[in-house]
Short mmCIF file of all heavy atoms in Angstrom, two decimals:
data_model
loop_
_atom_site.label_atom_id
_atom_site.label_comp_id
_atom_site.label_asym_id
_atom_site.label_seq_id
_atom_site.Cartn_x
_atom_site.Cartn_y
_atom_site.Cartn_z
N GLU A 151 -20.75 15.59 8.28
CA GLU A 151 -20.78 14.17 7.96
C GLU A 151 -21.77 13.83 6.86
O GLU A 151 -21.53 13.07 5.90
CB GLU A 151 -21.12 13.36 9.16
CG GLU A 151 -21.09 11.84 8.98
CD GLU A 151 -19.75 11.40 8.77
OE1 GLU A 151 -18.71 12.06 9.14
OE2 GLU A 151 -19.56 10.21 8.24
N GLN A 152 -22.92 14.45 6.88
CA GLN A 152 -24.00 14.38 5.83
C GLN A 152 -23.41 14.82 4.50
O GLN A 152 -23.69 14.19 3.48
CB GLN A 152 -25.26 15.04 6.25
CG GLN A 152 -26.45 14.82 5.26
CD GLN A 152 -27.64 15.61 5.66
OE1 GLN A 152 -27.59 16.25 6.74
NE2 GLN A 152 -28.74 15.48 4.91
N ASP A 153 -22.82 16.00 4.56
CA ASP A 153 -22.17 16.51 3.31
C ASP A 153 -21.04 15.61 2.78
O ASP A 153 -21.05 15.44 1.54
CB ASP A 153 -21.65 17.91 3.59
CG ASP A 153 -21.16 18.58 2.29
OD1 ASP A 153 -21.76 18.32 1.24
OD2 ASP A 153 -20.30 19.49 2.35
N ARG A 154 -20.30 15.07 3.65
CA ARG A 154 -19.26 14.14 3.21
C ARG A 154 -19.86 12.88 2.58
O ARG A 154 -19.46 12.39 1.47
CB ARG A 154 -18.36 13.71 4.42
CG ARG A 154 -17.21 12.91 3.99
CD ARG A 154 -16.47 12.44 5.24
NE ARG A 154 -17.25 11.64 6.06
CZ ARG A 154 -17.49 10.29 5.94
NH1 ARG A 154 -16.96 9.70 4.89
NH2 ARG A 154 -18.25 9.60 6.74
N ARG A 155 -20.92 12.28 3.25
CA ARG A 155 -21.60 11.21 2.60
C ARG A 155 -22.14 11.48 1.25
O ARG A 155 -22.16 10.67 0.34
CB ARG A 155 -22.66 10.72 3.58
CG ARG A 155 -22.04 10.00 4.80
CD ARG A 155 -23.14 9.19 5.58
NE ARG A 155 -24.39 9.91 5.88
CZ ARG A 155 -24.59 10.58 7.04
NH1 ARG A 155 -23.58 10.48 7.98
NH2 ARG A 155 -25.59 11.26 7.28
N ILE A 156 -22.76 12.68 1.13
CA ILE A 156 -23.29 13.06 -0.13
C ILE A 156 -22.30 13.17 -1.15
O ILE A 156 -22.45 12.81 -2.29
CB ILE A 156 -24.14 14.39 0.03
CG1 ILE A 156 -25.45 14.13 0.95
CG2 ILE A 156 -24.56 14.86 -1.31
CD1 ILE A 156 -26.10 15.45 1.23
N ARG A 157 -21.05 13.80 -0.82
CA ARG A 157 -20.00 14.00 -1.77
C ARG A 157 -19.48 12.61 -2.22
O ARG A 157 -19.24 12.25 -3.39
CB ARG A 157 -18.91 14.81 -1.15
CG ARG A 157 -19.21 16.25 -1.07
CD ARG A 157 -17.95 17.00 -0.98
NE ARG A 157 -17.07 16.60 0.18
CZ ARG A 157 -17.20 17.03 1.39
NH1 ARG A 157 -18.09 17.96 1.75
NH2 ARG A 157 -16.38 16.49 2.34
N GLU A 158 -19.37 11.68 -1.22
CA GLU A 158 -18.83 10.30 -1.55
C GLU A 158 -19.81 9.55 -2.45
O GLU A 158 -19.41 8.89 -3.44
CB GLU A 158 -18.58 9.55 -0.29
CG GLU A 158 -17.46 10.10 0.55
CD GLU A 158 -17.15 9.26 1.79
OE1 GLU A 158 -18.07 8.28 2.03
OE2 GLU A 158 -16.17 9.58 2.53
N GLU A 159 -21.12 9.72 -2.11
CA GLU A 159 -22.15 9.00 -3.00
C GLU A 159 -22.15 9.68 -4.37
O GLU A 159 -22.23 8.92 -5.37
CB GLU A 159 -23.49 9.21 -2.27
CG GLU A 159 -24.67 8.50 -3.07
CD GLU A 159 -24.55 7.00 -2.99
OE1 GLU A 159 -23.81 6.53 -2.07
OE2 GLU A 159 -25.10 6.40 -3.84
N LYS A 160 -22.04 10.93 -4.47
CA LYS A 160 -21.95 11.63 -5.75
C LYS A 160 -20.77 11.06 -6.59
O LYS A 160 -20.83 10.87 -7.79
CB LYS A 160 -21.95 13.10 -5.61
CG LYS A 160 -21.98 13.93 -6.92
CD LYS A 160 -22.01 15.38 -6.66
CE LYS A 160 -22.07 16.22 -7.91
NZ LYS A 160 -22.00 17.62 -7.69
N GLU A 161 -19.56 11.08 -5.88
CA GLU A 161 -18.35 10.63 -6.53
C GLU A 161 -18.54 9.15 -6.99
O GLU A 161 -18.06 8.79 -8.09
CB GLU A 161 -17.18 10.82 -5.63
CG GLU A 161 -15.81 10.51 -6.26
CD GLU A 161 -15.45 11.47 -7.34
OE1 GLU A 161 -15.97 12.55 -7.36
OE2 GLU A 161 -14.57 11.13 -8.13
N ARG A 162 -19.01 8.33 -6.15
CA ARG A 162 -19.25 6.92 -6.51
C ARG A 162 -20.15 6.78 -7.65
O ARG A 162 -19.90 5.99 -8.56
CB ARG A 162 -19.76 6.11 -5.28
CG ARG A 162 -19.83 4.69 -5.42
CD ARG A 162 -20.29 3.96 -4.18
NE ARG A 162 -21.58 4.42 -3.77
CZ ARG A 162 -22.69 3.89 -4.21
NH1 ARG A 162 -22.69 2.91 -5.17
NH2 ARG A 162 -23.89 4.31 -3.82
#
Side-chain angles (χ1 to χ4, degrees):
E151 184 67 19
Q152 184 179 1
D153 187 26
R154 185 185 63 80
R155 289 198 302 269
I156 291 173
R157 287 199 307 271
E158 290 180 355
E159 182 69 19
K160 184 178 179 181
E161 184 68 18
R162 187 175 63 81

